[in-house]
Amino acid sequence: MKDEFFALHLDTGNGEAGTTRPSGQAYLAEGAVRCVFSVRTAVKMGMGANSRSHESLTFRFVEQIGEDEFAVRLLSNRRLPMGEAELISLDELAGNHSPELAFFEERVVPAMLERGTPEDVRSAAIDRRVFSGLFGLGLLYLEQGEPGRAAVLFADLAGIKADFAGKDQFLFNECGIGLRKCGLYGEAISFFIRALDYAPEDENLLYNLGRAHYENGDWTRSLDYLIQSNKFNPGLGPTNSLLGLMVRLETDERLADRYGKPPVPPAVAARARQILAAGSGRLKLDDTLMVNPVEPGRARSGGVGHVEFKRRGGK
C-alpha cells in the first residue's frame, strides 16, 4: 500500500435521510459540458386524415460557453460539427438533449482529430472539467426526477476511455460515494470498480465497495470486498464495524427491520465472525473469496444485488 493512497475517502456515511447529497449545480459550476447530444423531434407529414407523424433523431455537438449558455451545432454525415451555432440555456439542454458520451468518444472525437483544425483539436478534448460537467448533468437529471436518463449517463462516465489529468482512483471513488448517497448503489459500484483499476490494493476503496454492496442488500459480495479490505489493513475500523454489523444482523430481526436489510445468510455471518476473531489473534485469517470478483469494464447498472458489466470497447 503506497502512502499516496492513504488519503482515499472512506464512505462512512450512514445512508439515512439527512445525508448530504451531491449537487448537480455544484458539479456543473466546476465543469464545462462538451459532448455530442441526441435530440428527438416529432415530424408531421401530410394534411388532414392523411397526416402521419414520426420521430426524427438528430445528433448535435454541444459546448458550454458560459454559466448558462451552450453552443449547439449539427453533426454532418462525416460526424463533424457544421454550420452556425445555436445558443441554448441549461434548462433547454437538460430538457430535450440526451448526452451520447460513448458515441462522442468513439466516433466523433476521432473524426475531429483527423480533420485536425485547431478548433477541432480543442473541442475534441475530454478532460476533468468535461467529466465534472457531465456528472453534474446526470445529478441534475436525478433532481428532475429522471433516474433513467441519469443511469445511462453515469454508466457511460464509469466506462469513459479518455485519459486526462485527474482520471484516477480519487475521481471514481468520490463519484461513487456521491452516487451511493443518492441511493444509486449499482451505479456507485461501477464507479468504485473503475477506481480499482488504479488502486487494486487500497483498503479504503475495498471497504467502500463492501459498503455499497451492503446497501444493495448483497451480503456475499459485500463480505468479499470486506475480506480484501481486511487483508490489506486488519485494523481499519469501518471494515471491522461493518463485519460486526453483519454478525449482529443475523440474529437481531428488529435491527434488520430498522435498517431495511434482508436476512444475513448464516455462512456470511460465520465468515464475518471468523475474520473478526482473526483480527483479535484467536484465528488465522483465510482470505479466500466466496465468489469471483466483479470484472471491471464499461458498466450498465443492473437490478438489486446485481451489476452487469460490458467490456470496454465492446458493442
Side-chain angles (χ1 to χ4, degrees), residues 122-138:
R122 179 188 61 78
S123 297
I126 299 175
D127 56 22
R128 177 68 181 263
R129 293 191 69 210
V130 170
F131 189 100
S132 180
L134 291 173
F135 189 77
L137 190 60

Side-chain angles (χ1 to χ4, degrees), residues 103-125:
F103 181 71
F104 179 49
E105 270 202 290
E106 296 164 14
R107 304 294 182 86
V108 178
V109 166
M112 295 172 77
L113 292 177
E114 183 179 357
R115 186 165 68 175
T117 69
E119 181 185 4
D120 283 330
V121 172
R122 179 188 61 78
S123 297

Side-chain angles (χ1 to χ4, degrees), residues 5-25:
F5 292 152
F6 280 119
L8 197 67
H9 187 188
L10 277 151
D11 187 8
T12 54
N14 61 18
E16 304 292 337
T19 298
T20 303
R21 291 187 168 202
S23 164
Q25 289 288 354

Side-chain angles (χ1 to χ4, degrees), residues 201 203 206 225-234 239 275 285 287:
E201 298 182 357
E203 69 270 30
L206 291 164
Y225 286 112
L226 295 179
I227 288 171
Q228 294 180 71
S229 174
N230 181 271
K231 172 183 176 181
F232 293 117
N233 184 356
T239 294
I275 296 165
L285 177 62
D287 56 14

Side-chain angles (χ1 to χ4, degrees):
M1 188 65 199
K2 295 182 180 179
D3 289 344
E4 63 262 28
F5 292 152
F6 280 119
L8 197 67
H9 187 188
L10 277 151
D11 187 8
T12 54
N14 61 18
E16 304 292 337
T19 298
T20 303
R21 291 187 168 202
S23 164
Q25 289 288 354
Y27 273 92
L28 282 163
E30 295 176 0
V33 172
R34 185 190 304 126
C35 192
V36 169
F37 286 70
S38 60
V39 180
R40 295 183 183 275
T41 54
V43 178
K44 186 175 180 180
M45 301 181 66
M47 300 288 291
N50 295 322
S51 67
R52 56 190 176 86
S53 62
H54 69 277
E55 203 171 54
S56 173
L57 180 68
T58 59
F59 290 89
R60 306 176 183 188
F61 177 71
V62 176
E63 189 166 19
Q64 187 169 359
I65 59 174
E67 183 176 345
D68 188 33
E69 197 170 36
F70 301 82
V72 181
R73 288 186 289 164
L74 286 172
L75 286 186
S76 71
N77 56 10
R78 296 176 55 206
R79 304 186 180 96
L80 291 167
M82 65 176 187
E84 293 294 323
E86 172 191 358
L87 300 183
I88 64 172
S89 67
L90 177 59
D91 286 344
E92 291 174 290
L93 180 69
N96 60 359
H97 291 63
S98 298
E100 304 284 352
L101 178 57
F103 181 71
F104 179 49
E105 270 202 290
E106 296 164 14
R107 304 294 182 86
V108 178
V109 166
M112 295 172 77
L113 292 177
E114 183 179 357
R115 186 165 68 175
T117 69
E119 181 185 4
D120 283 330
V121 172
R122 179 188 61 78
S123 297
I126 299 175
D127 56 22
R128 177 68 181 263
R129 293 191 69 210
V130 170
F131 189 100
S132 180
L134 291 173
F135 189 77
L137 190 60
L139 294 174
L140 193 62
Y141 291 153
L142 288 180
E143 294 162 12
Q144 294 177 167
E146 299 181 275
R149 295 179 75 195
V152 170
L153 178 51
F154 291 140
D156 280 340
L157 285 167
I160 194 168
K161 297 178 181 179
D163 289 321
F164 51 83
K167 183 190 174 192
D168 53 25
Q169 71 273 21
F170 298 99
L171 173 66
F172 290 111
N173 183 66
E174 292 301 325
C175 288
I177 291 174
L179 291 171
R180 186 203 63 77
K181 290 180 178 180
C182 293
L184 299 181
Y185 307 126
E187 286 81 357
I189 288 165
S190 68
F191 275 79
F192 290 140
I193 289 290
R194 281 304 307 274
L196 281 180
D197 289 346
Y198 302 92
E201 298 182 357
D202 189 292
E203 69 270 30
N204 293 357
L205 175 57
L206 291 164
Y207 162 80
N208 290 347
L209 266 162
R211 170 64 193 276
H213 280 294
Y214 156 80
E215 294 285 9
N216 215 15
D218 190 333
W219 294 116
T220 301
R221 292 196 182 212
S222 178
L223 180 61
D224 284 344
Y225 286 112
L226 295 179
I227 288 171
Q228 294 180 71
S229 174
N230 181 271
K231 172 183 176 181
F232 293 117
N233 184 356
L236 190 63
T239 294
N240 292 327
S241 295
L242 190 48
L243 288 168
L245 181 59
M246 285 182 177
V247 172
R248 292 175 60 198
L249 288 174
E250 181 196 16
T251 56
D252 193 333
E253 294 182 2
R254 291 179 60 185
L255 188 62
D257 288 342
R258 174 185 168 190
Y259 289 167
K261 298 302 176 189
V264 178
V268 169
R271 193 74 174 84
R273 287 191 192 91
Q274 180 194 28
I275 296 165
L276 291 171
S280 69
R282 294 195 301 271
L283 285 174
K284 180 180 178 181
L285 177 62
D286 172 9
D287 56 14
T288 304
L289 296 181
M290 295 181 64
V291 298
N292 292 328
V294 179
E295 177 183 342
R298 179 155 284 205
R300 296 285 182 190
S301 64
V304 173
H306 176 68
V307 179
E308 295 180 355
F309 292 91
K310 182 164 63 175
R311 287 186 182 276
R312 278 172 250 165
K315 301 293 182 183

